[in-house]
Structure formats: C-alpha cells, structure tokens
C-alpha cells in the first residue's frame, strides 16, 4: 500500500487526516519514488520552505526545468520577476471598493438561500458554492461571469492536472485548459471594463514591465484560483458545520475566528510544491539541488506540535497559524476575499436558516492537491422527522 496513492481511496478521501498522522509519525520527511519528491508533513518544515524562496523555488526554471508558456504566471515566478506582477495585482486589489462589492454580494447570498430554502433539498456545491464563487470573483474583476457549463469543467481539468505527478495523463489536458482560460482572460485586456481589477490592470500594464503572456496567465490564475479557492472552501466548511453536531450554532457565537478554524480543519489547498535550488538540510535529511519538495499543508494544519487537539473543530481557536492559504511571497492573493465570502454565506446560513442540515454524506472529488466536494445534498428546513427526498 502506497501512503500517497492511498489518499485517493474513497474511504480515505473522505477524511485524509488520520493517514497524514501516520505519515508524520512514521517519517515526517520522506522520499516518495512515484512522485520523485521529498514529502513534508510537519508544520515547521512546511513553513520553512514556504518562506524561503532563496533555497526553495516556485519557478522550476531555476532548477533547469523547461516550463511551458501557459504556466508562467504570478503563481510560478519567483522574485525579481514575481515582484512586478504581484505588486501590479496587489495595487489593483487595494484600489477596488471591496465594501460595495461585499454589500451587493450579501443581498445575492440572502436571495439565493431564500430561494433554495423553498426546495426539499439541493446540491450545495453546484447550486450555491460554485455559482456564488464565480459571481463574486468576476464581479471583483469587473467582467461578466462565464457560463458555468463551460467554465466549471475547464476549471476542474486544471485542478486535475495538479495531481499529474501521480497521474501523468492529467498533465496535457490541464496545460491546454490553462491556455484556453488565459486566452479568455486576455480578451479582457483587449476590451477592458470600466471598473474592477481588470480595468486597473489594463490602465497600468504598460508601466508595469510585466510581459503580456505573464499578465494574461496571471489574470487567468486570479480567475481560476479565486473561484476554486472560494468554492471549495465554502463547500468544505459547510460540510464541516453541517456534519458536526452543534457547529452551526457555535458559528453564530464565534464568527471572528470560525472561518480560520474551518480552513485549518479542512483546507482546500492540501499540497503545494517547490524545487530545491541549493543543497539544504531540513527535517534531518539533506535535500540536493534539483530535488522536488512536496508540502502536505493539510497534514501541517493538523500537526499536534503546532495545534492543540488538531482533530477537533474548535471554532474559537486563537491564535490559528494555519497554512491554508500559504505563506511568504506566494501566499494567496485572494485569501481575504475567499474568507469574507465564506463568512458571509455561512453567517447568513446560520442566522436565517438555523435548521439547515445534511441530507446525505458529502461526496469528494478525486483530487489530492486541491480538496473539494463533488456534491453535497442539503436541506434548509428544520428536521420534522419526515423523510426528505432530493
């Protein structure tokens, strides 16, 4: 039994954290032949790699790899190339009227939940998390939302490709999907909107020094990562609340800390990768220049050396130094947006629909890098003892 491939088994996919614990206890830093990579499971080791871009690169060209053009973006470049595109995007983020965006979103959330409450049950993933996340990120960008039927399969193909180290056949379709999404995003720059992040980027791109290919790919990354992070976080968090007795009530009492704990407890980003660019001693082993390094952030977020009682969902946990959105130069740009969206949806759910409950067990997609639900049937009506059929 392979400890990594085993994570894709349905029984473990539902709850991978005991498997992570076994890895950490057996050998917190180990070499995995199939991945051809060092694997890290402790919080301290993962944090050390995330915050040291001198020794551990996101840009694999620094280790001599040939990287396809569709993969060069704010997510895969290192300083100094990374600095220009990240600053452009961060300045664009700060220039937006986020309060107005969130106020508008609050109304949409309440209306959608009120509509869904009239049904016997509904799929929280496909009918709430995904459409709300796509509306949110595209509103922030200042562009119309694409059709879900086109965008969601494309986005999932990109996510599937993140596991190509285990299933190589997923690599080429993911590269092609990234290229299509980058071309789609590039169209925004040709005819930019008047407001939103795209408008800001289009106005300042000429002075930024960022190559057009990197700019288009980075806008694609903002669209895709923003949507996937938000929709998967919302699905995972709702599943945790609705399958843990008393958790929905507890959320109302601890909104300031609850979302961070939900991220730690079952984060969408379960793994990240870097490449060692100089011989380095870490976790009792010597990593050579050119060695890939896989960080199991999901394991790090359940490390008992960093978190008391990590298997428990404690919505009042503070401080909470989870690694759910990374750290260092490549920390998620849209983390605050995803957190705010999740807090808004779950807050409305807990306040307006306190009788919300799971109708069936949440079903997970077969993804190890980016964890999320495929389907989760939910009812917003109180349980009257009568059978509810989807």
């Amino acid at each position: 039994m392979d400890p990594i491939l085993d994570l894709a088994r349905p029984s473990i996919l539902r709850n991978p954290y005991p498997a992570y614990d076994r890895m950490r206890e057996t050998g917190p830093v180990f070499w995995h032949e199939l991945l051809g990579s060092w694997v890290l499971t402790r919080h301290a080791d993962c944090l050390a790699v995330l915050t040291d871009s001198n020794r551990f690169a996101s840009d694999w060209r620094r280790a001599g790899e040939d990287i396809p053009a569709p993969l060069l973006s704010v997510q895969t470049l290192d300083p100094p190339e990374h600095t220009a595109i990240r600053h452009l995007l961060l300045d664009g983020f700060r220039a937006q009227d986020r309060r107005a965006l969130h106020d508008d979103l609050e109304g949409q959330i309440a209306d959608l939940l009120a509509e869904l409450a009239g049904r016997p049950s509904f799929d929280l993933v496909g009918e709430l998390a995904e459409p709300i996340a796509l509306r949110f990120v595209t509103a922030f960008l200042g562009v119309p939302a694409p059709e879900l039927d086109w965008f969601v399969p494309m986005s999932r193909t990109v996510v599937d490709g993140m596991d190509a180290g285990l299933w190589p056949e997923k690599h080429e379709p993911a590269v092609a999907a990234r290229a299509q999404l980058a071309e789609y995003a590039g169209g925004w720059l040709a005819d930019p909107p008047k407001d939103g992040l795209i408008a800001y980027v289009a106005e300042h791109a000429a002075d930024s020094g960022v190559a057009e290919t990197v700019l288009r790919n980075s806008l694609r990354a903002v669209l895709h990562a923003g949507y996937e992070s938000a929709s998967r976080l919302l699905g995972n968090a709702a599943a945790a609340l609705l399958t843990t007795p008393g958790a929905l009530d507890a959320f109302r009492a601890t909104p300031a800390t609850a979302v961070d704990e939900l991220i730690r407890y079952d984060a969408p980003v379960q793994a990240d990768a870097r490449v060692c660019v100089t011989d380095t001693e870490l976790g009792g082993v010597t990593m050579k220049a050119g060695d890939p390094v896989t960080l199991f952030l999901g394991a790090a977020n359940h490390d008992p050396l960093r978190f008391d009682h990590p298997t428990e969902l404690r919505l009042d946990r503070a401080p909470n130094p989870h690694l759910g959105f990374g750290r260092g130069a490549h920390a998620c740009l849209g983390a605050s947006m995803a957190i705010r969206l999740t807090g808004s949806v779950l807050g409305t759910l807990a306040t307006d629909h306190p009788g919300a409950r799971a109708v069936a067990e949440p079903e997970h997609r077969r993804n190890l890098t980016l964890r999320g639900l495929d389907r989760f049937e939910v009812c917003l009506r109180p349980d009257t003892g009568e059978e509810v059929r989807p």
Side-chain angles (χ1 to χ4, degrees):
M1 295 173 64
D2 184 282
I4 308 297
L5 286 175
D6 235 27
L7 295 171
R9 291 172 55 193
S11 60
I12 296 180
L13 196 61
R14 285 194 293 272
N15 178 15
Y17 301 104
Y20 288 149
D21 289 344
R22 290 191 291 273
M23 289 184 208
R24 194 187 311 105
E25 292 164 4
T26 302
V29 180
F30 65 93
W31 179 262
H32 189 263
E33 285 294 338
L34 180 58
L35 282 177
S37 172
W38 292 103
V39 175
L40 310 183
T41 57
R42 286 188 299 214
H43 185 281
D45 295 333
C46 291
L47 180 62
V49 172
L50 289 173
T51 54
D52 188 351
S53 58
N54 290 324
R55 294 188 298 168
F56 299 97
S58 294
D59 187 344
W60 290 56
R61 295 176 301 174
R62 292 171 60 194
E65 293 283 340
D66 182 21
I67 304 300
L71 300 184
L72 296 178
S73 73
V74 67
Q75 293 178 318
T76 60
L77 296 173
D78 283 329
E81 283 183 277
H82 174 265
T83 305
I85 180 60
R86 186 174 179 88
H87 281 179
L88 176 62
L89 293 174
L90 278 175
D91 290 344
F93 270 71
R94 295 180 182 123
Q96 305 311 306
D97 187 349
R98 282 174 281 183
R99 180 180 295 275
L101 177 67
H102 285 295
D103 287 346
D104 181 60
L105 182 71
E106 294 277 359
Q108 293 185 46
I109 292 168
D111 290 345
L112 182 53
L113 282 171
E115 177 188 335
L116 294 170
R119 305 205 350 225
S121 68
F122 66 95
D123 173 22
L124 184 139
V125 177
E127 297 180 86
L128 178 63
E130 291 179 341
I132 280 289
L134 190 57
R135 285 187 214 172
F136 183 52
V137 70
T138 51
F140 188 80
L141 291 168
V143 296
E147 291 294 327
L148 278 167
D149 289 346
W150 173 80
F151 179 79
V152 171
M154 189 85 65
S155 182
R156 289 184 172 185
T157 298
V158 173
V159 174
D160 290 344
M162 296 176 184
D163 294 331
L166 295 174
W167 300 291
E169 69 277 6
K170 297 179 181 293
H171 175 69
E172 290 300 330
V175 171
R178 279 190 174 94
Q180 284 187 260
L181 287 176
E183 182 178 356
Y184 175 76
W188 299 332
L189 295 175
D191 184 20
K194 294 180 179 179
D195 301 303
L197 178 65
I198 301 299
Y200 181 93
V201 168
E203 181 181 353
H204 296 86
D207 299 326
S208 68
V210 178
E212 183 180 350
T213 300
V214 171
L215 187 57
R216 287 192 293 107
N217 292 340
S218 296
L219 292 176
R220 180 267 306 161
V222 171
L223 169 66
H224 178 257
Y227 161 78
E228 287 289 356
S229 296
S231 62
R232 289 182 184 240
L233 170 57
L234 182 53
N236 294 352
L241 286 185
L242 297 182
T243 58
T244 303
L248 194 60
D249 290 336
F251 185 91
R252 287 195 297 272
T254 57
T257 57
V259 176
D260 268 323
E261 172 64 355
L262 288 163
I263 296 169
R264 182 205 68 81
Y265 185 74
D266 198 18
V269 182
Q270 290 283 298
D272 203 352
R274 297 290 189 271
V275 62
C276 194
V277 294
T278 184
D279 291 1
T280 299
E281 183 83 17
L282 183 69
V285 304
T286 300
M287 300 176 181
K288 299 292 186 180
D291 283 354
V293 183
T294 299
L295 321 175
F296 273 155
L297 304 182
N301 287 335
H302 281 241
D303 185 350
L305 295 177
R306 192 65 187 87
F307 301 98
D308 292 334
H309 305 285
T311 61
E312 297 179 11
L313 180 64
R314 296 185 170 186
L315 296 178
D316 60 351
R317 188 186 297 270
N320 197 336
H322 64 77
L323 303 179
F325 284 112
R327 292 289 181 86
H330 287 276
C332 179
L333 284 167
S336 62
M337 294 169 49
I339 290 170
R340 180 67 179 270
L341 173 65
T342 300
S344 295
V345 174
L346 297 181
T348 304
L349 186 70
T351 302
D352 295 354
H353 306 280
R357 55 197 170 87
V359 172
E361 288 290 323
E363 301 172 22
H364 290 84
R365 287 192 59 78
R366 190 171 175 261
N367 297 131
L368 302 187
T369 299
L370 203 58
R371 178 172 170 79
L373 303 183
D374 192 40
R375 184 177 181 84
F376 183 32
E377 201 70 20
V378 167
C379 176
L380 299 186
R381 301 174 181 177
D383 188 359
T384 60
E386 298 178 1
E387 183 180 2
V388 175
R389 295 184 180 277

